[in-house]
Amino acid sequence: MFKGITVKTELIVVLSLLVTLLIGIGSLGIYGISKSNIGFKSVYEDRTVPAVDLANINDIWEVVRKNTSAAVDSKDAVAAKIKAQETTETIKRAEGIWARYIATKLTPQEEQLAKTKLEFHAAYVDSVNRVLQLAMAGDFERASIEIKGTSEPIFYKLHETIYKLITLQGDVAAQEYATTQSNFDTIFLIIVTTMIAGVVIAIVLGYLLLRG
């Protein structure tokens, strides 16, 4: 195979082949690490952080609910006005966190749930505002009827929808982790196979060189 070729040339050919294999294995390894980092970064930024944000939003809506009930139960228009101001600020805080969440990478199922959440959000805020307006006007009886007949049912639907979004973060994170793990396993198998092939080729070429 190597007849008519100088030893120097033979060594250059073998070393070039081995270097090429080494570069290929190294590049593949770097690619695998990069893909894994991207996958885990996505799990953190698009799943872990949003799950915390959504849980905070749910807690904030619970505060809104309690403030609204407290405004009506106080039977005091002045106290109701104070609770109304607190509630307005609290709602703004929830909307700010929601804006951060909606800017993340959403799945089609998330987009649908987010749309449903916004519908319940708007309906609940409208109902809360009506309750607070009635309470500030001193009409606590009608305010109480509004809470029981409209606000509370919408609140539970809103709460449930956000909870579904929180649960979905875990499901999607598990899927993304499984995909990342599968990619890693595939790349690892290719690297090991290439390394073994490189060793075999080196042995064969070394044997042929010695024979030549």
Side-chain angles (χ1 to χ4, degrees):
M1 178 179 177
F2 293 100
K3 290 180 179 180
I5 302 177
T6 64
V7 174
K8 180 179 178 181
T9 302
E10 291 173 350
L11 289 174
I12 291 173
V13 171
V14 173
L15 289 174
S16 297
L17 181 59
L18 294 177
V19 168
T20 301
L21 284 172
L22 183 62
I23 292 174
I25 293 171
S27 299
L28 193 57
I30 292 172
Y31 172 77
I33 293 172
S34 176
K35 288 287 290 183
S36 294
N37 286 341
I38 291 172
F40 287 122
K41 181 181 179 183
S42 176
V43 168
Y44 174 73
E45 293 182 348
D46 297 323
R47 302 300 152 210
T48 306
V49 173
V52 174
D53 284 342
L54 288 167
N56 286 335
I57 289 172
N58 243 0
D59 290 342
I60 290 171
W61 284 119
E62 183 63 40
V63 172
V64 170
R65 175 173 175 255
K66 289 179 179 178
N67 279 349
T68 306
S69 296
V72 176
D73 293 340
S74 69
K75 307 297 183 184
D76 185 332
V78 175
K81 184 177 181 180
I82 294 173
K83 285 297 181 183
Q85 292 173 342
E86 291 178 4
T87 300
T88 298
E89 292 302 316
T90 304
I91 291 174
K92 286 181 180 179
R93 188 153 56 93
E95 291 174 344
I97 297 174
W98 177 260
R100 186 169 65 224
Y101 161 73
I102 210 69
T104 61
K105 180 183 176 183
L106 304 180
T107 66
Q109 187 177 357
E110 270 187 291
E111 290 177 352
Q112 185 59 48
L113 283 172
K115 182 180 178 182
T116 301
K117 182 269 179 188
L118 287 175
E119 292 171 356
F120 288 138
H121 171 116
Y124 185 61
V125 170
D126 285 344
S127 182
V128 166
N129 286 336
R130 283 195 297 272
V131 170
L132 294 173
Q133 288 295 329
L134 289 167
M136 287 187 291
D139 194 344
F140 297 104
E141 183 177 351
R142 286 179 60 195
S144 181
I145 293 173
E146 176 69 22
I147 284 181
K148 293 177 181 178
T150 305
S151 295
E152 287 289 289
I154 297 174
F155 168 81
Y156 288 116
K157 290 178 180 179
L158 174 62
H159 190 277
E160 182 183 2
T161 302
I162 296 173
Y163 184 76
K164 286 180 180 178
L165 282 167
I166 294 172
T167 303
L168 185 60
Q169 302 311 306
D171 295 339
V172 176
Q175 293 172 6
E176 292 182 354
Y177 173 77
T179 299
T180 300
Q181 185 65 46
S182 177
N183 290 338
F184 173 81
D185 291 342
T186 300
I187 293 172
F188 180 76
L189 180 61
I190 293 172
I191 290 175
V192 171
T193 303
T194 305
M195 289 174 64
I196 293 173
V199 172
V200 171
I201 291 172
I203 292 172
V204 170
L205 290 177
Y207 174 74
L208 292 175
L209 280 172
L210 289 174
R211 287 194 62 184

